[in-house]
Amino acid sequence: ITMLSNTPKTYKIGGKIWAPKNFERHGKKQVSVRSALENSDNLATVDLAMQIGLESIIETANRFGFSTPFKSYPSLSLGAFEVIPLELARAYCAFAAGGMMPYPLGLKAVVDENGQVLERRHFNIERLISPAKAFIITSLLRGVVETGTAKTLGSKGVSWPVAGKTGTTDDFHDAWFVGYTPQYITGVWVGFDQERSLGKGETGSRAASPIWLDFMKEALKDKPSMVFQIPNGIVFSKIDTETGLRATAASKKTKFECFKEGTEP
């Protein structure tokens, strides 16, 4: 619910001036963290990153298992550094799995013709964040699908709980969508090996999310419906969406928002 600046600013990177812009203009000078994430507001996202501190963001990204050598540029907050798709999907797993970080395996064991194990791979699962934090991120990412940049999924047949995030790089070179249900997580990247534009308008929502949807419809076809479980330590409070404060009788637009217990307004 924290309100962020959504106005243009300039930053100096390596002696050059960088002036980020929003993909879509809506004229709001301030937006909440939730709104910024749901609608991919670049200006507000950079503002948030500068408030948190770029070194802190890099430290967190490293804990989430990225091998990319990130640098403390303001453009880091908008995806200026390339990441490996599997590592990105793995990072989202921590939100989907209540804060537990998995180790992705392509090979579990090697056996001979008699079924005797010749070699076996083991992996550790570690707790990265609390279940309450993971649930809040999932709540924010569900907003992306329900009302934000990935809302077209709803009109294309998504009837189950989904959390996810679209991504589009400059000049439409890359289109991303990583989304998860309570059972599965899938990441989709669309782009060229030799970097060039996919074509104007080929955003994460348009180019990547339909691929994700086709795959997930098949993956979930015969599976029982499940919901994201609310963990201990989460409370809900009615919020005035204009101010980000607790709603009053004078509030025009309100909604229930989730918080870690003790942090609600």
Side-chain angles (χ1 to χ4, degrees):
I1 60 171
T2 299
M3 303 303 286
L4 303 171
S5 170
N6 198 40
T7 57
K9 293 177 182 159
T10 57
Y11 303 87
K12 204 167 187 178
I13 304 176
K16 296 181 179 180
I17 297 298
W18 180 60
K21 298 178 182 178
N22 284 336
F23 183 73
E24 291 185 351
R25 297 179 183 178
H26 51 61
K28 293 182 180 179
K29 293 184 178 181
Q30 279 197 322
V31 295
S32 67
V33 170
R34 176 181 283 280
S35 178
L37 183 66
E38 288 178 350
N39 299 296
S40 292
D41 283 329
N42 292 337
L43 298 175
T45 302
V46 178
D47 179 54
L48 176 62
M50 299 307 287
Q51 289 188 48
I52 293 173
L54 297 172
E55 292 299 336
S56 178
I57 293 172
I58 292 172
E59 181 183 338
T60 300
N62 290 337
R63 286 197 297 114
F64 270 76
F66 289 101
S67 60
T68 300
F70 299 116
K71 296 181 180 179
S72 55
Y73 298 156
S75 55
L76 164 72
S77 59
L78 302 183
F81 296 88
E82 295 180 349
V83 296
I84 296 169
L86 182 61
E87 291 182 351
L88 186 63
R90 181 194 180 202
Y92 275 76
C93 276
F95 308 135
M100 303 301 291
M101 188 66 158
Y103 184 86
L105 274 184
L107 179 67
K108 288 184 178 180
V110 178
V111 299
D112 63 18
E113 67 274 16
N114 299 314
Q116 297 297 312
V117 176
L118 303 177
E119 186 175 345
R120 187 184 298 278
R121 291 287 302 275
H122 297 279
F123 60 94
N124 296 319
I125 296 177
E126 60 175 322
R127 174 161 298 287
L128 196 62
I129 56 176
S130 69
K133 283 185 179 180
F135 180 82
I136 289 172
I137 295 296
T138 293
S139 173
L140 295 172
L141 294 175
R142 288 189 69 178
V144 174
V145 176
E146 291 167 1
T147 62
T149 55
K151 63 184 177 184
T152 55
L153 287 175
S155 63
K156 293 178 180 177
V158 169
S159 58
W160 5 270
V162 176
K165 185 71 187 77
T166 58
T168 310
T169 54
D170 287 349
D171 300 320
F172 306 100
H173 282 199
D174 304 271
W176 290 88
F177 184 71
V178 182
Y180 57 92
T181 68
Q183 297 113 308
Y184 298 111
I185 184 164
T186 302
V188 175
W189 166 75
V190 182
F192 292 104
D193 291 340
Q194 276 66 45
E195 190 176 348
R196 59 188 174 92
S197 178
L198 292 165
K200 189 174 182 180
E202 295 299 325
T203 61
S205 176
R206 178 172 169 174
S209 67
I211 300 170
W212 180 93
L213 181 58
D214 285 347
F215 175 80
M216 290 296 273
K217 278 182 176 179
E218 289 298 312
L220 293 168
K221 187 166 54 178
D222 301 318
K223 304 296 187 297
S225 180
M226 296 179 67
V227 297
F228 292 108
Q229 298 295 321
I230 303 173
N232 293 331
I234 288 290
V235 296
F236 290 84
S237 184
K238 198 173 187 180
I239 299 301
D240 184 317
T241 58
E242 296 295 323
T243 65
L245 303 176
R246 187 183 289 273
T248 68
S251 299
K252 295 179 180 179
K253 292 183 179 180
T254 63
K255 70 172 294 182
F256 279 97
E257 187 60 271
C258 60
F259 299 90
K260 284 180 66 182
E261 192 171 7
T263 67
E264 67 274 19

